[in-house]
Amino acid sequence: MKNIRNFCIIAHIDHGKSTLADRLLEYTKTIKVTEGQMLDDMDLERERGITIKSHAIQMEYMYKGEKYVLNLIDTPGHVDFSYEVSRSIAACEGALLVVDASQGVQAQTISNLYMALEHDLEIIPVMNKCDMASAMPEEVEDEIIDLLGCKREEIIRASGKTGMGVEEILQAVVERIPAPVGDEKAPLQALIFDSVFNSFRGIIAYFKVVNGMIRTGDKVKFFNTGKEYDADEVGVLKMDLVPRKELRTGDVGYIISGIKTSREVKVGDTITHISRPCDKAIEGFEEVKPMVFAGVYPIEAEDYENLRASLEKLQLNDASLTFQPESSLALGFGFRCGFLGLLHMEIIQERLDREFDMSVITTVPNVSYMVYDKQGGVQEVHNPGGMPDPTLIDHIEEPYIDASIITVTDYIGSIMTLCLGKRGELVRQDYISGNRVELHYRMPLGEIVIDFYDKLKSISKGYASFDYHQAGFRPSKLVKLDILLNGEPVDALSTLTHFDNAYDLGRRMCEKLKELIPRQQFEIAIQAAIGSKIIARETIKAVRKDVTAKCYGGDVSRKRKLLEKQKRGKKRMKQIGTVEVPQKAFLAVLKLD
């Protein structure tokens, strides 16, 4: 056990984690690196150049004549996938904190660092991309020293591209990161930190043995669900699964036990033996809190069950996805899904399409609100359709976040304007070093859900980095904005918004829908309403035949008679006609600027 080291790589987006992982794998001769980012095995990760899923892999390293087993987990850097990072951290004793030498410390660097420090991990600071012409090693070293309080000689200068500093990193891992502690003779306790679905072998759970040992063929049970299984196969994670006879304390590996239903595997659960169970589950694993909610509906109504099965399989692979059934008048049956952010929502939509061939309609994303009624009761509302009658509501509270934005001083003015427009309050600003500043804002989560991150990036030419965490609920003056087509509300387009923004949003939505809804044979009225009060209206004119074309001359009453007859026909048509809202319209409403 003293020769095992479990560590993960944490950093901000694009600071070179996956490339550095390639060099470590190459140096320890674990695999032959044929292309960049070997651990990113999803097509989507390759295309976008981001890591979506944590990847665990085992390496062997000879140091001073002894063989060490190093278990490495490469983690994502985007704020939407921070749950993957928190699970990886729970399975490790140390972390490589990678900072880009040309960009310096950014918001997600700090956020992931605090997460690692909460779990008492040993931190090894690594300054990556030192071979670049734009690198500023001295300034960035000062930033890391300010952040960690470490000594200058503890920072390793490296480059994932050229392989510089890789040997020092491996030596530091062996020397500085502690071996796992645990008791091999105690009852088995293993923490599940991830799971994947395999269509041939069922569900494969990845775990770290904290106490005791597990052998192939053992009878095990999952502590929280109470289900019992045979361990058909256990082993370690290389590029593929490598079966082993037994795994001891401190090892990271996988278990296949023929589990078919996804509800039986909970990430964060504890595996133990049936004959000699442990007293309690392993602590320190938090439940995921979704930030953004949206309805996901199949395009064809009969695909509902297939969509449920696809979401369950996806949930195994991505434990931060939550969903529950809901129905809508406009779209039929579907699911209300909880996501960690907008990128997460986009990735899930894309994966449903690619991996399960499911095309879906997604409604306008929103956050969850606390609605207090006049009797003093309270309910949590994720969906504008679930709002009680406005006459019964005493007040509504919406979730707020503490946001930290790190930027260079050139862009402070425009970023402040953006945050004020989103109802943000400046808490404080700290100068980090040189011309870099950290702005702390308290702002409503509902305002940043849709396009805040994109706008921030374009205002700051990609330099500002953004990170947030929840800061409770606050009372707010919110109204439900409905969109009516010919007097019928379209529930999929209704949104909860702040009273001050409602008129503007209603007007823009009506204008946008007027462009997107095709003309019918009858007139369509598009209205935005708060309760029974109409605040904006646009009219799509009817497509009509020129019925007076055959009248050449003669009395005007003949023309009028024909027009009146046409008018009555259009009125009759309007009573029975329905208006189809194209999928384009739902997506366009998200992209209103």
Side-chain angles (χ1 to χ4, degrees):
M1 196 165 87
K2 68 180 199 313
N3 285 13
I4 297 176
R5 300 287 183 273
N6 298 321
F7 69 103
C8 57
I9 305 184
I10 54 177
H12 191 78
I13 318 161
D14 278 347
H15 281 204
K17 296 179 292 298
S18 301
T19 313
L20 194 62
D22 282 354
R23 295 292 84 74
L24 294 171
L25 295 175
E26 207 169 48
Y27 192 86
T28 54
K29 301 189 175 54
T30 306
I31 51 168
K32 200 169 178 331
V33 176
T34 49
E35 54 186 334
Q37 281 99 17
M38 289 292 285
L39 291 180
D40 291 352
D41 49 11
M42 234 185 282
D43 295 343
L44 230 105
E45 293 181 312
R46 293 268 160 91
E47 279 167 34
R48 291 179 178 237
I50 54 175
T51 304
I52 294 169
K53 186 111 190 64
S54 297
H55 299 274
I57 189 163
Q58 191 179 86
M59 309 181 287
E60 287 171 359
Y61 175 58
M62 292 297 288
Y63 180 62
K64 294 188 176 165
E66 282 193 63
K67 190 167 96 175
Y68 288 87
V69 172
L70 312 179
N71 291 310
L72 154 73
I73 303 180
D74 177 30
T75 66
H78 196 282
V79 63
D80 281 11
F81 304 114
S82 55
Y83 187 58
E84 290 280 331
V85 183
S86 77
R87 297 189 346 231
S88 309
I89 285 174
C92 292
E93 280 85 33
L96 298 181
L97 180 73
V98 178
V99 180
D100 184 332
S102 59
Q103 302 205 3
V105 171
Q106 289 186 286
Q108 205 55 38
T109 316
I110 298 175
S111 167
N112 288 342
L113 170 70
Y114 286 155
M115 222 188 291
L117 290 175
E118 272 169 31
H119 284 79
D120 295 335
L121 298 199
E122 180 62 41
I123 308 289
I124 299 177
V126 176
M127 193 165 53
N128 197 17
K129 305 194 186 180
C130 285
D131 59 320
M132 284 176 67
S134 58
M136 315 170 289
E138 307 301 326
E139 288 98 324
V140 175
E141 270 185 1
D142 293 341
E143 284 179 25
I144 297 174
I145 291 167
D146 282 353
L147 182 66
L148 279 175
C150 59
K151 298 188 180 70
R152 192 174 288 273
E153 56 273 14
E154 285 176 15
I155 301 171
I156 300 171
R157 294 192 180 191
S159 160
K161 198 164 156 193
T162 61
M164 145 191 177
V166 169
E167 193 172 352
E168 286 101 62
I169 292 174
L170 289 168
Q171 287 171 5
V173 165
V174 171
E175 285 170 4
R176 296 192 214 167
I177 293 178
V181 288
D183 181 2
E184 273 193 15
K185 301 196 170 46
L188 171 70
Q189 263 186 321
L191 172 76
I192 300 179
F193 65 90
D194 207 350
S195 58
V196 291
F197 179 79
N198 182 315
S199 43
F200 301 107
R201 314 200 60 182
I203 291 157
I204 303 171
Y206 296 168
F207 63 88
K208 173 195 174 185
V209 186
V210 178
N211 287 315
M213 55 202 295
I214 181 169
R215 294 186 178 85
T216 306
D218 279 356
K219 296 205 178 302
V220 295
K221 75 168 183 181
F222 288 14
F223 204 89
N224 290 341
T225 55
K227 300 275 191 205
E228 305 187 346
Y229 307 101
D230 291 340
D232 299 337
E233 184 182 304
V234 296
V236 295
L237 304 156
K238 295 280 178 102
M239 262 331 246
D240 301 309
L241 306 176
V242 183
R244 289 281 158 89
K245 286 274 188 292
E246 62 176 26
L247 292 178
R248 297 167 168 272
T249 303
D251 280 330
V252 172
Y254 69 91
I255 177 169
I256 299 177
S257 47
I259 307 169
K260 294 286 184 288
T261 48
S262 57
R263 286 186 211 88
E264 295 177 20
V265 179
K266 274 186 85 96
V267 167
D269 202 347
T270 304
I271 305 176
T272 185
H273 281 132
I274 296 175
S275 53
R276 198 176 152 216
C278 56
D279 316 331
K280 59 180 200 302
I282 300 165
E283 299 283 311
F285 208 80
E286 70 240 27
E287 279 288 306
V288 58
K289 294 197 244 353
M291 295 283 189
V292 178
F293 296 88
V296 173
Y297 293 86
I299 287 180
E300 301 295 331
E302 59 265 24
D303 285 343
Y304 175 72
E305 282 303 323
N306 295 351
L307 179 60
R308 180 198 291 274
S310 308
L311 282 169
E312 281 182 357
K313 286 174 189 169
L314 206 51
Q315 196 177 29
L316 282 175
N317 205 320
D318 180 350
S320 50
L321 171 70
T322 58
F323 64 91
Q324 61 203 54
E326 72 163 4
S327 63
S328 137
L329 293 171
L331 300 168
F333 289 101
F335 296 92
R336 169 101 339 211
C337 298
F339 306 99
L340 295 185
L342 271 203
L343 177 71
H344 187 206
M345 175 173 137
E346 207 178 303
I347 295 287
I348 293 287
Q349 231 176 317
E350 190 99 348
R351 285 182 70 181
L352 280 171
D353 184 31
R354 289 188 184 196
E355 294 171 28
F356 304 99
D357 207 17
M358 294 289 316
S359 348
V360 293
I361 293 178
T362 316
T363 63
V364 183
N366 61 331
V367 296
S368 58
Y369 298 93
M370 291 294 181
V371 179
Y372 290 82
D373 58 28
K374 290 181 174 160
Q375 280 75 43
V378 58
Q379 70 182 89
E380 191 175 345
V381 174
H382 301 308
N383 185 351
M387 288 286 284
D389 190 87
T391 52
L392 305 175
I393 296 174
D394 181 50
H395 67 280
I396 303 175
E397 292 191 351
E398 64 173 334
Y400 267 69
I401 56 165
D402 284 328
S404 91
I405 299 169
I406 296 182
T407 176
V408 283
T409 43
D410 313 1
Y411 306 116
I412 289 184
S414 44
I415 287 176
M416 283 184 164
T417 314
L418 172 69
C419 293
L420 287 172
K422 299 282 186 190
R423 299 190 283 136
E425 305 159 18
L426 181 63
V427 181
R428 65 173 198 277
Q429 64 186 57
D430 307 325
Y431 284 86
I432 303 177
S433 65
N435 66 341
R436 288 159 63 89
V437 63
E438 184 173 9
L439 303 170
H440 294 270
Y441 268 93
R442 171 116 352 122
M443 53 208 304
L445 179 63
E447 292 281 341
I448 67 152
V449 155
I450 294 186
D451 57 356
F452 178 79
Y453 195 68
D454 299 345
K455 282 187 176 167
L456 180 71
K457 281 289 182 204
S458 53
I459 284 175
S460 63
K461 302 194 172 56
Y463 271 109
S465 59
F466 170 72
D467 180 47
Y468 63 85
H469 44 263
Q470 278 181 307
F473 285 77
R474 282 185 176 189
S476 188
K477 197 175 175 188
L478 295 165
V479 289
K480 182 183 171 194
L481 181 70
D482 285 313
I483 299 291
L484 313 175
L485 294 181
N486 280 348
E488 291 290 319
V490 182
D491 56 352
L493 287 173
S494 56
T495 50
L496 280 173
T497 178
H498 194 264
F499 182 75
D500 298 347
N501 304 343
Y503 282 84
D504 186 39
L505 180 68
R507 201 188 66 251
R508 291 202 325 248
M509 280 173 88
C510 289
E511 285 167 3
K512 197 76 183 169
L513 288 170
K514 184 181 179 182
E515 290 170 25
L516 292 164
I517 293 176
R519 285 172 71 183
Q520 310 284 342
Q521 300 225 337
F522 50 90
E523 194 175 85
I524 303 171
I526 304 171
Q527 294 164 310
I530 297 174
S532 56
K533 185 180 176 193
I534 305 292
I535 57 170
R537 169 174 173 141
E538 292 285 336
T539 308
I540 301 178
K541 292 285 179 219
V543 183
R544 52 200 300 174
K545 184 174 153 193
D546 186 2
V547 287
T548 58
K550 61 186 180 186
C551 299
Y552 50 96
D555 188 40
V556 73
S557 61
R558 288 179 62 199
K559 288 188 177 178
R560 198 164 289 147
K561 184 176 152 194
L562 287 167
L563 288 169
E564 284 298 324
K565 188 177 169 192
Q566 183 186 34
K567 197 169 169 185
R568 285 199 301 275
K570 294 287 177 204
K571 193 172 173 185
R572 207 166 44 242
M573 211 180 256
K574 186 173 178 174
Q575 286 167 352
I576 56 167
T578 55
V579 186
E580 287 289 315
V581 182
Q583 163 73 2
K584 274 210 313 260
F586 290 111
L587 295 175
V589 173
L590 304 188
K591 297 194 165 60
L592 284 176
D593 22 306

